Amino acid sequence: MMTRGRLAISTALVGLVVQLAAPGTAIAGPLPGCSDQGWLGVWAATPSDASRGTDDFDRYDMSMNPQSVVRDETIRAILTPTFGGTTARVRLSNRFGTVPVTFAQAAIARRASGPALVPDTTAPLTFAGDRSVTVAPGRDVLSDPVAFAVQAFESLAVSLHVAGDVGKPTEHYVARQTSYLTPEGTGDHTTDVDGDAFTQHTTSRPFVSGVEVLAPLSDSAVATLGDSITDGYQAQPAGAPEALEGIDADGRWPDDLARRLADADRPLSVVNLGIAGNRVLQDATLGGNPDVQGAALIRRLDADLLTQSGVTTVIWLEGINDLTMSPISTVEQLTGGYRDVIDRLHSHGLRVLLGTLTPAGGSSTASPANEATRQAVNSWIRSESPADGVVDFDAAVRDPADPSRINPAYDGSDHLHFNLAGYQAMANAVPLELLIDRACS
């Protein structure tokens, strides 16, 4: 049996959320047929903050992007879906905004290169039938369905004309993918094909937080929960700013997992709900800002995961920040948090695979005490966790000569994050047989 819940938005109810019966729960009534259609998440970027603004969007060449706020301009967000369909809708977020945001025009198109679009592919987006929508602070909105061919792993461009002065935009801070902006005060360029007006770029992603397609109910989504490792962060040797390698490569381990699933002809999309710096139990802070790295997982679970359509399996890798950032969590506190979250996910009928924590030896946060705690947590995950399965990321990437450290072939240089080969090794460690498809008759 399926139940449907509402996504709170500022205008009208435009989206439905699919939830499944809890494991072991008796199913009442007939299951829907596999040919029936339902919404399926095919791409996501969880909102993390609005603290940095566009003055810090581009952390590898900040001179290209001197803005600090968004004022009467157009944003062209580039994204790569992990599954296809012929009818789509787009999720926008003003979750961290302090004023209402009016999207005066919005459109989706196939991306050619840079900010340029493939000609004759632009489709306008509407919201409850209107071309314009105003989203209140703290709210998300879903567009109306639009006939638009989404192809797996083919880049899309979502263009948004933001009217007025909205201050610092809600964003996903570590996008690892270049998006584009016009200068302030330049107005609506949502339908521009050549992209010449988009003279600035960003490696954060403002406003756009999800894409869904209509798909047969036999198709499902895998949601990946986590921190910077799931977010695909790659660091310079000193740890910051982010490294150029991997920008625009779609080389996060969830991306690699999606390609494995496609190669295996599995009807599963992947939505990435990782946030760099995120923690399980405590809100992370960066530079004194409490909301730059998202709310604690225990607080963001409903907004970030339970609004995703078509999810059947959750892969969760998180906890290294809880063990190394102040206030530091104990083994008992962290594993208690794992139990609580897994119980909540099970109550929504979701299958949960819990990942072992990867090595951090040699990093700026490494210590013998931290390593002993990590090993104790991993022992609990492997032997005592109530999850439905384990993904042993630790075993896949550790150095055989020193298990406290990342294998040098996979080390992204800061001894905490990974290079592209390391993220591929993590994706390869996921047992595909533990991922389930959506039930239908």
Side-chain angles (χ1 to χ4, degrees):
M1 177 180 65
M2 292 193 306
T3 59
R4 298 186 182 271
R6 293 186 299 171
L7 171 69
I9 60 172
S10 63
T11 53
L13 178 64
V14 294
L16 296 175
V17 177
V18 176
Q19 295 179 349
L20 304 178
T25 299
I27 306 254
L31 289 168
C34 289
S35 61
D36 292 344
Q37 299 276 301
W39 288 107
L40 177 69
V42 298
W43 175 87
T46 303
S48 63
D49 70 282
S51 297
R52 291 290 167 137
T54 49
D55 57 341
D56 195 44
F57 273 173
D58 190 347
R59 292 174 300 285
Y60 63 87
D61 187 359
M62 288 173 59
S63 65
M64 293 294 292
N65 195 2
Q67 295 178 294
S68 60
V69 297
V70 174
R71 295 188 181 99
D72 185 27
E73 62 194 81
T74 303
I75 293 168
R76 182 161 285 173
I78 307 302
L79 52 96
T80 307
T82 60
F83 206 80
T86 57
T87 301
R89 62 184 185 181
V90 176
R91 188 189 306 267
L92 307 177
S93 180
N94 189 28
R95 191 179 304 173
F96 292 94
T98 57
V99 298
V101 174
T102 295
F103 299 106
Q105 297 287 332
I108 188 171
R110 289 163 58 193
R111 194 268 290 259
S113 62
L117 307 179
V118 175
D120 302 318
T121 64
T122 300
L125 297 175
T126 60
F127 304 84
D130 295 329
R131 290 295 306 272
S132 176
V133 64
T134 298
V135 186
R139 301 286 185 150
D140 294 348
V141 66
L142 274 166
S143 75
D144 299 331
V146 60
F148 182 84
V150 174
Q151 300 289 334
F153 313 114
E154 180 179 80
S155 293
L156 303 179
V158 175
S159 302
L160 305 170
H161 172 216
V162 181
D165 183 344
V166 301
K168 297 179 178 180
T170 290
E171 63 176 354
H172 180 84
Y173 183 54
V174 177
R176 302 299 295 167
Q177 194 163 30
T178 307
S179 291
Y180 301 88
L181 306 91
T182 64
E184 294 179 22
T186 53
D188 179 19
H189 291 273
T190 55
T191 60
D192 289 13
V193 173
D194 57 25
D196 291 346
F198 294 85
T199 57
Q200 301 179 13
H201 62 261
T202 165
T203 56
S204 293
R205 184 175 288 101
F207 298 122
V208 183
S209 61
V211 175
E212 300 180 355
V213 301
L214 276 180
L217 290 182
S218 54
D219 300 340
S220 344
V222 176
T224 60
L225 276 176
D227 49 33
S228 56
I229 294 174
T230 297
D231 218 1
Y233 187 79
Q234 291 179 254
Q236 302 281 6
E242 62 186 338
L244 279 171
E245 184 205 18
I247 299 280
D248 299 324
D250 291 317
R252 313 161 193 85
W253 72 258
D255 299 319
D256 294 326
L257 174 61
R259 287 186 283 268
R260 280 190 68 204
L261 289 166
D263 290 343
D265 201 27
R266 292 290 302 277
L268 292 166
S269 67
V270 178
V271 289
N272 189 336
L273 308 181
I275 298 178
N278 201 236
R279 299 177 63 172
V280 176
L281 301 174
Q282 302 284 340
D283 293 349
T285 60
L286 182 64
N289 292 313
D291 62 351
V292 176
Q293 297 166 323
L297 190 281
I298 57 172
R299 292 204 302 114
R300 70 181 182 94
L301 193 67
D302 289 358
D304 290 346
L305 176 60
L306 299 182
T307 56
Q308 298 295 326
S309 296
V311 173
T312 54
T313 305
V314 177
I315 305 175
W316 185 22
L317 169 63
E318 193 163 17
I320 197 68
N321 293 328
D322 292 79
L323 301 182
T324 57
M325 292 181 178
S326 180
I328 293 175
S329 299
T330 65
V331 173
E332 292 74 19
Q333 288 170 333
L334 183 56
T335 56
Y338 286 156
R339 285 187 185 277
D340 289 346
V341 170
I342 291 168
D343 286 347
R344 289 168 62 188
L345 296 177
H346 280 166
S347 74
H348 287 276
L350 298 172
R351 183 176 182 81
V352 184
L353 308 182
L354 191 57
T356 53
L357 302 182
T358 52
S363 70
S364 60
T365 60
S367 72
N370 290 346
E371 175 60 13
T373 304
R374 184 183 75 90
Q375 292 289 358
V377 170
N378 281 349
S379 177
W380 181 90
I381 290 173
R382 293 183 179 110
S383 62
E384 299 180 51
S385 164
D388 302 285
V390 173
V391 181
D392 204 341
F393 291 120
D394 172 51
V397 299
R398 66 194 179 203
D399 184 352
D402 183 355
S404 71
R405 301 177 71 107
I406 295 172
N407 186 323
Y410 301 147
D411 196 332
S413 77
D414 67 347
H415 313 303
L416 178 63
H417 301 94
F418 298 88
N419 58 23
L420 294 179
Y423 286 126
Q424 181 68 65
M426 291 181 66
N428 292 345
V430 177
L432 299 189
E433 65 274 11
L434 295 184
L435 310 179
I436 60 172
D437 302 340
R438 193 152 39 167
C440 59
S441 60

